[in-house]
């Protein structure tokens, strides 16, 4: 069985949908940001905190867990600056408790959700796994700290792990049954689509004076199901023993500016957005575009979703969500 921590959250719930096709799954989630409606009913669900040794011990005693995937983290960059303790407690301290308890139960296979925020403001056009990590906020720091902890534990114990550094996760499962919903929502694509559905009066573009072609920030958007499939390849490599430790970027390798994303959303929805130019948002790097050559080469991962397909699946989900709410 595979333990998916944070399996009621946005990326974790999409992970479960793919994983459950081939594996038995236990989900641990405290529902602080995840949703009950996102939990796959074929999985065993345990409501609780990953920072609780008692909860972890009861799961590890009751189920035969072959590997752990860890998606449960606080992930708002701005909040991490004003409340760093929350990030170090939720993202570092809880993960230490998890790893400590896993190793005590001889569970030694681990897949960790890391982030592009570990790179900070990169000095290269295309980020590779060799690019220097230099986070500029506590969120990125907290993820990098866990990466360092994993490296040390990997040297000292029989822990086998894969670190996956996500770029901008977006989109929803093709069926439209689950999708992205944060409160507050801070991510660009859901904000634009909510606006195009009439839930917001306007959208703001944060900064139009960046050193990019159209002056707005450039990001590398990656579909959640592509992300999930990368995790499955990483899991299979750990279970088969063909990988002991690895770190991979998960991205499309293509950069789109905020303006281009707005235009693509307008094209998919067939509506014009009411756009306001605003000040820069603190802590936004101008450009974050990466290469996923390493995971392609080593595990055969390929992405299937273009930006247009990513936004189409998100649009389908947001329309479904609106109907449920009405
Ligand atoms: N943006 C706007 N208007 C909005 C929302 C966002 O212009 O209303 C811009 C942002 O300034 C940024 C781009 O759209 O330039 C993308 O913003 P998101 O908030 O969607 O995503 P980020 O790139 O800020 O964040 C993502 C992940 C984080 C991770 C970060 C790494 O969501 O978890 O990449 O830098 F930490």
């Amino acid at each position: 069985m595979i333990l998916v921590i944070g399996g009621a959250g946005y990326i974790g719930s999409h992970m479960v949908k793919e994983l459950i096709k081939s594996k038995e799954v236990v989900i641990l989630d405290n529902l602080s940001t995840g949703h009950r409606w996102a939990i796959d009913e074929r999985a065993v669900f345990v409501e609780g905190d990953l920072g609780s040794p008692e909860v972890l011990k009861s799961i590890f005693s009751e189920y035969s867990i072959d590997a752990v995937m860890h998606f449960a983290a606080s992930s708002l960059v701005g909040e991490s600056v004003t409340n760093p303790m929350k990030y170090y407690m939720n993202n570092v301290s809880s993960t230490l408790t998890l790893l400590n308890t896993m190793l005590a139960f001889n569970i030694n296979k681990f897949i960790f959700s890391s982030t592009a925020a570990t790179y900070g403001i990169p000095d290269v056009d295309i980020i590779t796994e060799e690019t220097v990590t230099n986070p500029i906020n506590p969120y990125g720091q907290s993820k990098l700290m866990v990466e360092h902890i994993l490296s040390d534990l990997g040297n000292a114990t029989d822990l086998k792990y894969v670190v996956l550094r996500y770029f901008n996760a977006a989109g929803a499962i093709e069926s439209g049954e689950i999708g992205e919903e944060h409160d507050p929502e801070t991510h660009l694509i859901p904000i634009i689509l909510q606006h195009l559905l009439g839930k917001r009066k306007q959208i703001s573009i944060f900064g139009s004076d960046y050193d990019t072609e159209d002056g707005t920030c450039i990001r590398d958007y990656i579909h959640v199901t592509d992300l999930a499939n990368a995790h499955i390849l990483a899991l299979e490599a750990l279970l088969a023993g063909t990988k002991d430790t690895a770190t991979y970027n998960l991205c499309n390798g293509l950069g789109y500016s905020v303006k281009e994303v707005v235009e693509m959303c307008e094209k998919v929805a067939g509506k014009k957005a009411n756009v306001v130019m605003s000040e820069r948002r603190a802590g936004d790097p101008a450009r974050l575009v990466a290469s996923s050559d390493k995971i392609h080469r080593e595990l055969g991962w390929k992405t299937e979703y273009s930006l247009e397909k990513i936004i189409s699946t998100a649009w389908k989900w947001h329309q479904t969500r609106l109907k449920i709410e009405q």
Side-chain angles (χ1 to χ4, degrees):
M1 267 182 133
I2 309 299
L3 174 61
V4 179
I5 304 179
Y10 169 46
I11 299 174
S13 61
H14 283 80
M15 181 71 243
V16 172
K17 293 280 179 211
E18 296 309 305
L19 189 61
I20 210 142
K21 293 175 183 170
S22 61
K23 297 275 188 295
E24 288 184 297
V25 175
V26 184
I27 294 172
L28 171 64
D29 201 301
N30 65 7
L31 297 180
S32 62
T33 55
H35 307 284
R36 207 172 278 281
W37 50 254
I39 298 170
D40 193 290
E41 56 193 23
R42 293 164 292 178
V44 175
F45 174 55
V46 178
E47 186 172 344
D49 279 324
L50 90 113
S52 159
E54 292 72 32
V55 170
L56 294 169
K57 282 176 190 164
S58 79
I59 294 173
F60 295 152
S61 308
E62 189 167 350
Y63 304 102
S64 169
I65 302 295
D66 301 306
V68 177
M69 292 182 165
H70 179 20
F71 296 88
S74 299
S75 62
L76 298 173
V77 168
E79 182 188 53
S80 80
V81 176
T82 53
N83 190 0
M85 185 61 86
K86 178 174 175 185
Y87 282 72
Y88 293 121
M89 292 299 285
N90 288 355
N91 297 0
V92 183
S93 176
S94 296
T95 306
L96 267 177
T97 302
L98 167 65
L99 291 165
N100 194 31
T101 316
M102 277 174 57
L103 290 173
F105 279 78
N106 291 319
I107 298 166
N108 71 341
K109 296 183 181 66
F110 186 63
I111 297 186
F112 181 61
S113 304
S114 190
T115 170
T118 53
Y119 294 109
I121 301 175
D123 57 2
V124 291
D125 280 347
I126 301 289
I127 298 166
T128 71
E129 293 80 358
E130 305 305 315
T131 301
V132 173
T133 48
N134 189 14
I136 56 166
N137 51 59
Y139 168 64
Q141 284 286 10
S142 71
K143 291 287 185 175
L144 189 61
M145 282 180 187
V146 174
E147 291 194 17
H148 291 318
I149 290 166
L150 290 172
S151 166
D152 290 343
L153 290 176
N155 289 333
T157 71
D158 66 350
L159 183 72
K160 319 283 184 218
Y161 66 88
V162 176
V163 168
L164 298 172
R165 292 180 179 151
Y166 309 161
F167 284 70
N168 286 61
I173 194 167
E174 298 247 3
S175 65
E177 64 193 291
I178 56 170
E180 182 168 14
E181 185 163 286
H182 297 108
D183 185 18
E185 188 55 80
T186 60
H187 295 105
L188 180 63
I189 292 174
I191 284 177
I192 302 169
L193 298 181
Q194 286 170 355
H195 163 60
L196 293 173
L197 276 174
K199 289 180 166 183
R200 295 170 186 266
K201 284 205 173 66
Q202 60 188 40
I203 54 166
S204 300
I205 291 187
F206 299 142
S208 49
D209 57 350
Y210 283 97
D211 185 17
T212 61
E213 228 158 76
D214 66 18
T216 67
C217 287
I218 293 177
R219 293 288 181 273
D220 187 335
Y221 294 88
I222 174 83
H223 192 270
V224 270
T225 303
D226 279 333
L227 281 185
N229 286 327
H231 290 69
I232 288 176
L233 293 173
L235 176 69
E236 280 166 0
L238 286 181
L239 293 175
T242 51
K243 274 280 163 212
D244 280 353
T245 64
T247 298
Y248 298 116
N249 288 336
L250 297 185
C251 54
N252 258 313
L254 295 170
Y256 290 94
S257 73
V258 175
K259 275 189 184 159
E260 287 172 325
V261 173
V262 173
E263 282 161 17
M264 189 62 86
C265 289
E266 290 177 330
K267 181 181 168 196
V268 167
K271 295 177 187 176
K272 272 286 182 205
N274 180 11
V275 182
V276 176
M277 290 300 172
S278 306
E279 292 299 297
R280 289 182 177 199
R281 189 173 70 177
D284 274 341
R287 179 185 158 90
L288 282 176
V289 182
S291 159
S292 60
D293 284 357
K294 187 178 172 199
I295 186 166
H296 173 63
R297 206 171 50 240
E298 295 189 6
L299 301 184
W301 183 60
K302 283 199 288 257
T303 57
E304 285 181 14
Y305 289 82
S306 63
L307 182 68
E308 183 164 4
K309 272 180 84 183
I310 291 172
I311 293 173
S312 300
T313 59
W315 180 236
K316 183 170 178 181
W317 154 249
H318 282 282
Q319 287 171 308
T320 311
R321 190 74 189 121
L322 188 66
K323 280 190 206 124
I324 295 168
E325 285 163 7
Q326 280 165 353

